Amino acid sequence: MSQEQRRMAVLSAIVEDYVQTSEPVGSKALLDRHQLNVSAATVRNDMAALEDEGLIAAPHTSAGRIPTDAGYRLFVDRLAAVRPMSKGERAAITDYLEGSDDLDVVLDRTVRLLSTLTRQVAVVQYPSLTRSTVKHIELVPMSETRLMVVVIMGSGRVEQRIVPIGIDYMTADGAAALASARARINAATRDRRLADALASLATLHDEDSGTEDALTAGVLASIEEALAEERATKVTLAGTANLARSSSDFPMTLEPVLDVLEQHVVLLRLLSAGATQDVSGITVRIGSENPVSGLQSTSLITSGYGAGDEQVGAVGVLGPTRMDYPATMAQVRAVAAYLSRIVDA
């Protein structure tokens, strides 16, 4: 084992022990708990070198050391791979999340499950309409003068609007005309992104004399309104109470973290921006890497989810930097993968 490999092993041991015990780790504890196969003097020298590099630090006058943000970052970067979850853990995720076609219910179950698995705060972003495709547009007569437009997204989201009409589609002739218009509208929009669907509908509106102007105009308005109201700014979260369990990990108070958790626009920005995902599809932002000052004593682990190759949202967990990174990364990735299968169904 080279000197660099040995020091990485010492750093990993310090991270693992500190995450488990929340106590600063000394050289004797490392030798007692880990098969490092080196002398106490070598471990002390390696710890001194790691401290000089800013990877570990001594809190106050303690003889032990704790990882710094840089130490956690190196530890995460050196993970050979995100460890797979057991068959039982994967089955538990499947059993809990399946059985509902309602997007709100699915996302609520997602954050509750993830907060339980990780014992951290879990947050999920609703699928973005701007990145969604149109699966189907249904046209339902409500009266002689009103019709409901139902836009079903590939992500599972459903948007509906009531539009005024000039033809009574509740008669036999009207029903036939509506069926024909429905077929043409779906042919122009199916499996297209919303922006592309709007362009196709605009062309249909201009060129298709067989479809009532009020009908295509109403469908256009429905999609435009849905985009204008873009609910991608909506997030849902669970497990805030878990922060109290780790209150000693926050230097002063939990108040700044709780303040940020109430600002859903900030959470959305954190979920959808920032560091590039690694090859495992996971983004990890540690301590000072978080751009929001109130979160610089926390770590955020996120993964995107979507339909096919299309990412439409993100899911993640937030907690103190003293976090079980390998397990949490695996859990976030597994939940995101299952959520992707649901929205792609």
Side-chain angles (χ1 to χ4, degrees):
M1 181 185 295
S2 69
Q3 182 184 76
E4 181 182 359
Q5 290 172 323
R6 190 183 68 239
R7 288 180 178 169
M8 189 62 213
V10 171
L11 175 62
S12 297
I14 291 172
V15 170
E16 291 166 8
D17 281 7
Y18 182 60
V19 166
Q20 182 177 5
T21 68
S22 76
E23 297 292 336
V25 183
S27 58
K28 184 178 185 303
L30 289 177
L31 290 167
D32 290 342
R33 297 172 186 162
H34 301 272
Q35 300 297 317
L36 297 176
N37 298 319
V38 293
S39 67
T42 298
V43 171
R44 286 194 293 271
N45 288 338
D46 287 341
M47 291 178 69
L50 291 170
E51 189 169 9
D52 289 342
E53 293 173 19
L55 300 175
I56 59 175
H60 309 299
T61 58
S62 171
R65 300 293 183 271
I66 64 173
T68 63
D69 289 355
Y72 284 124
R73 168 50 60 194
L74 183 59
F75 171 77
V76 169
D77 289 346
R78 292 294 182 90
L79 290 175
V82 177
R83 76 185 186 202
M85 299 184 72
S86 69
K87 185 176 181 180
E89 289 172 323
R90 293 195 303 272
I93 292 174
T94 302
D95 291 344
Y96 189 74
L97 294 185
E98 70 180 5
S100 177
D101 294 326
D102 185 276
L103 183 65
D104 290 326
V105 173
V106 169
L107 296 185
D108 181 67
R109 288 181 180 179
T110 296
V111 290
R112 291 181 184 278
L113 172 66
L114 195 52
S115 67
T116 300
L117 287 173
T118 63
R119 303 182 72 192
Q120 310 290 359
V121 180
V123 58
V124 63
Q125 172 193 0
Y126 270 67
S128 168
L129 278 174
T130 55
R131 290 177 289 183
S132 293
T133 56
V134 175
K135 198 75 170 180
H136 181 71
I137 295 178
E138 188 54 62
L139 308 173
V140 183
M142 305 297 291
S143 71
E144 296 176 359
T145 58
R146 296 190 309 155
L147 179 138
M148 178 183 289
V149 176
V150 182
V151 182
I152 303 171
M153 310 298 176
S155 63
R157 287 178 60 168
V158 176
E159 297 292 332
Q160 58 187 42
R161 297 289 186 281
I162 302 295
V163 300
I165 51 177
I167 296 175
D168 183 0
Y169 291 112
M170 301 185 77
T171 65
D173 289 343
L178 185 63
S180 177
R182 182 188 295 112
R184 288 195 291 273
I185 287 171
N186 276 285
T189 59
R190 185 179 293 113
D191 295 327
R192 294 177 182 267
R193 282 193 176 193
L194 283 182
D196 296 332
L198 281 173
S200 294
L201 277 173
T203 300
L204 183 68
H205 182 58
D206 293 338
E207 299 178 356
D208 180 19
S209 59
T211 302
E212 183 196 5
D213 284 349
L215 186 57
T216 51
V219 176
L220 275 168
S222 298
I223 297 180
E224 287 170 345
E225 286 174 24
L227 281 170
E229 292 177 5
E230 179 57 287
R231 281 184 6 216
T233 55
K234 185 177 179 182
V235 297
T236 187
L237 68 160
T240 303
N242 286 326
L243 292 173
R245 181 177 52 82
S246 305
S247 58
S248 60
D249 289 301
F250 299 94
M252 299 295 289
T253 173
L254 277 171
E255 186 174 351
V257 180
L258 296 175
D259 284 345
V260 171
L261 292 178
E262 291 181 355
Q263 301 176 46
H264 285 192
V265 172
V266 175
L267 288 177
L268 172 70
R269 188 167 70 245
L270 289 170
L271 284 171
S272 58
T276 303
Q277 293 181 351
D278 64 18
V279 292
S280 67
I282 299 292
T283 295
V284 182
R285 291 194 283 280
I286 300 169
S288 58
E289 296 173 356
N290 286 309
V292 180
S293 60
L295 297 183
Q296 293 191 344
S297 58
T298 69
S299 287
L300 180 67
I301 298 177
T302 61
S303 180
Y305 71 89
D309 295 330
E310 189 74 21
Q311 181 175 317
V312 298
V315 62
V317 300
L318 180 143
T321 54
R322 187 180 66 86
M323 179 187 293
D324 185 347
Y325 290 94
T328 305
M329 291 165 68
Q331 290 154 349
V332 168
R333 186 177 67 173
V335 170
Y338 192 81
L339 194 54
S340 293
R341 290 199 292 273
I342 291 176
V343 302
D344 198 24

